[in-house]
Structure formats: C-alpha cells, structure tokens
Amino acid sequence: AHHTAYALYMWQRPSPAVAELFESGAKRLMDAEGETFFERIDEASLAQHSPAVSEDPALLGTFRRANRALVSHWVTSNLRDPGAEVSPFTGPELEALVRDLVRRGLDLHALEPFRSGQNAAWEAWMATAFELTDDVSELRELLAVSARSIFTYVESTMATTLEMLTRERDELALGTSAERLETLTLILDGEPIDVARAERRLGYALEQPHPHLAAIVWSDDLEAADGALRETATALAAACGAERALSVTATSRSLWSWIPAHREPTAEELEKLLSAHPAVRVAIGSPEPGVSGFRRSHEEAFTAQRLVGRLDSPLRVARYEDLSLVALVSRD
C-alpha cells in the first residue's frame, strides 16, 4: 500500500524532446533575457508591498534579494535537470528575510508579493515557450509541465517559509529582545507607557538631561556583518560624547540606535567614522529631548533613510536637517 501511494505522487517527468525545450528556455532566461526577466518579476512583486516594507530601504533590499534568489533557484534547477521537481528554496537570502520580518512584527501576509512575482514569471515563461517550438503537442506538454513545476515550487517554498517564520518567532520569544522590541514599538507608535518600566527593559534613560540623537545604520551589501553596523553605532556614540548607544537590530542589515548626545558630530567626523566600513551608511535625526524626542528623532532618521532609498542616492551620511526640505517637496 505504501509503495502504491508513493507511486501516485511520483513526479511525472517530461519527454526527452520537451526536456530539451525546458533547458533551452532556462538558458535563455539566464543569458540574454535574464536581467529583463528578473526586472519584470521584481516590478510585479514590489508593487504589492505594504508601506511597512516598501518604505524601508533595508527591508526592501532584503526582500528583493530573496525574490531573485528564489527565482534563480528554480531556473538553475531546471538547467541541471530539466522538468524535474524543484526542491523548496531555503537559502540564506530567505533566512535573512524571515528574520527581518519577525523582528519587525510582520507576518506571512508580507510574503504575498511572491504570488505576484509567480504570475509574472509564468507570463514570461509562457512567452518564451511559444518562441521555442511550433509543434502543438510539444507546446502543450511544455506548458503543462511548466505550470506544474512553477506552482508546485512556489507552494512548497511558501510552506517551508511558514515553518521558518514560526520557528523564528518561537526563538525570538525566548529572549529578552522580544521585550525590548515590544517596548520600542509602544514608544514609536506613541502609545502610553510606564517610563520607568520602559527604561528598565531598554537599559536606557528616556528622561535625561541630554537630547536623544536617533540613527539608522545600514548597508546595501549582502555580505555586511552585524559587527560592522554595531562598530559604526559605537563610533557614532563616541563622536557624540556618549559612552554607549541603545542599539537594536531592525533587519539583518540595519540597526536602529539612540544616543544621549552631549554634542553633535561634524560632517568630517561622520565621514571619518564611516571610513573603516565602506559599505555602511548612516541616517541621522535631530537631537530631541524626552520620550517624544526619542520617537521624533527616529522618525526623522527613518525619513532621511527612506529618501535616500527612494532617490537611489549614493549618499553615505543622510542628516535629516540637511534633507528635510528635499523630503518635504518629494513627498508627493
């Protein structure tokens, strides 16, 4: 009985002729048409994002890398074994995206744009299929095998991703970082809080004589290490005359920091502290006092970072005070 059930679910492989067509189509997508193919999928996927993703350059970059890696896995698998069942994608790009979504309190709905990318990939593949053969029977088989391959691959990858999300949430809930993120969310959302309790959870004084200078330290480099971001945040705190900063990992390649600013660093000091890590960038808000200033300075830093991302600017130090007018006039 077990053998019979297994046989019912064995993957039906294409005929040798259609397998050759499959391989030819995969080569075409990865060669001459590759970049156009990926751009179409990116455009379809990214258009469906919620503001929580689309307005955060670091999170958007993580999603774009995962999206491309997911598609590349399907194409390269069919180059190796045309028409065979493709295993779910579980690469480091997807792991990074899952960690970032959980840290930001986002759920599986944030992955729905993958569905739009799937549809764009199917449309592009169909157009390629019609260019590969004029034989009606071969075309019918190619489209049938392709549809089964693409849709089964996306479904299995989504199921695997849900398991990864659940596991990551469980691990996060075990650590004190969950309490810190919960507290920060309440502050940044403007919710009423017990200041003394929030300070104990964060290990940071919200009501103090020095204003809060918020910074977002991030990198567009896939290989950027968390250590480089934290070293930059520590150097920024020193430049502000502070012993330490409150730093929280926002995504795998971005860090949110708050510094009790005894002084504001000069442009030259900021450029110098970034020289040790060429791939790291910083967005900085204005120094503001109290709990409201803690929140407002972060909003300004986030606005500066978002503006740099939206304009695709190479700027490495984005100060809100320098960019506030640009942010205002480019809002619409």
Side-chain angles (χ1 to χ4, degrees), residues 192-206:
I193 60 164
D194 181 322
V195 174
R197 185 183 181 193
E199 289 180 335
R200 287 195 300 272
R201 281 187 166 188
L202 296 174
Y204 180 87
L206 296 169

Side-chain angles (χ1 to χ4, degrees), residues 9-325:
Y9 290 97
M10 285 184 65
W11 188 262
Q12 184 178 352
R13 303 180 72 86
S15 64
V18 169
E20 287 185 16
L21 292 175
F22 223 115
E23 184 177 6
S24 297
K27 285 180 178 177
R28 181 176 298 190
L29 292 180
M30 291 300 285
D31 295 339
E33 299 177 9
E35 190 57 33
T36 302
F37 176 61
F38 282 119
E39 285 175 357
R40 287 177 62 179
I41 295 172
D42 269 351
E43 185 178 347
S45 300
L46 302 181
Q48 301 301 316
H49 278 307
S50 66
V53 177
S54 62
E55 295 180 358
D56 185 330
L59 190 54
L60 194 60
T62 304
F63 196 104
R64 182 180 285 108
R65 283 183 284 270
N67 198 35
R68 291 202 168 201
L70 188 149
V71 176
S72 295
H73 178 69
W74 182 83
V75 176
T76 54
S77 293
N78 280 294
L79 282 173
R80 288 194 305 270
D81 194 354
E85 185 175 11
V86 180
S87 62
F89 178 66
T90 57
E93 297 87 353
L94 188 59
E95 291 177 354
L97 177 62
V98 166
R99 285 196 302 271
D100 291 354
L101 292 176
V102 172
R103 286 167 178 165
R104 298 293 300 277
L106 300 172
D107 58 17
L108 193 61
H109 292 297
L111 295 173
E112 282 304 311
F114 277 139
R115 303 287 188 188
S116 300
Q118 167 190 292
N119 295 336
W122 173 238
E123 290 175 4
W125 180 259
M126 277 199 300
T128 300
F130 276 92
E131 295 173 359
L132 292 173
T133 181
D134 295 326
D135 186 296
V136 176
S137 61
E138 286 184 347
L139 184 59
R140 185 184 296 114
E141 183 186 352
L142 176 59
L143 291 177
V145 172
S146 303
R148 185 173 71 248
S149 177
I150 290 175
F151 290 96
T152 300
Y153 170 60
V154 172
E155 288 299 326
S156 62
T157 297
M158 291 289 283
T160 300
T161 304
L162 178 58
E163 293 174 2
M164 294 168 66
L165 278 166
T166 303
R167 187 166 58 249
E168 187 70 24
R169 280 200 201 101
D170 292 343
E171 291 177 1
L172 182 65
L174 293 175
T176 57
S177 57
E179 289 187 347
R180 298 178 79 196
L181 285 173
E182 180 186 5
T183 302
L184 281 173
T185 299
L186 290 174
I187 296 173
L188 297 180
D189 286 347
E191 300 291 339
I193 60 164
D194 181 322
V195 174
R197 185 183 181 193
E199 289 180 335
R200 287 195 300 272
R201 281 187 166 188
L202 296 174
Y204 180 87
L206 296 169
E207 297 290 357
Q208 58 174 290
H210 301 290
H212 307 287
L213 182 73
I216 298 177
V217 185
W218 87 100
S219 175
D220 300 321
D221 184 1
L222 184 63
E223 304 300 325
D226 182 68
L229 303 181
R230 293 192 176 276
E231 286 176 18
T232 301
T234 299
L236 180 58
C240 292
E243 294 184 1
R244 59 182 291 272
L246 166 62
S247 294
V248 177
T249 299
T251 71
S252 56
R253 277 175 292 282
S254 67
L255 201 68
W256 290 351
S257 289
W258 288 265
I259 301 166
H262 297 244
R263 55 182 291 272
E264 283 192 71
T266 64
E268 292 76 15
E269 288 174 316
L270 291 172
E271 292 290 347
K272 183 177 180 180
L273 67 88
L274 287 178
S275 62
H277 302 290
V280 175
R281 308 168 80 176
V282 178
I284 301 174
S286 307
E288 300 277 358
V291 176
S292 60
F294 181 94
R295 177 174 62 253
R296 193 161 53 246
S297 186
H298 174 76
E299 290 173 351
E300 291 179 352
F302 187 71
T303 297
Q305 184 204 27
R306 185 174 54 193
L307 181 63
V308 167
R310 192 165 68 233
L311 300 181
D312 196 22
S313 168
L315 194 66
R316 294 191 63 203
V317 177
R319 300 174 67 129
Y320 179 78
E321 291 179 348
D322 299 334
L323 300 175
S324 56
L325 180 60

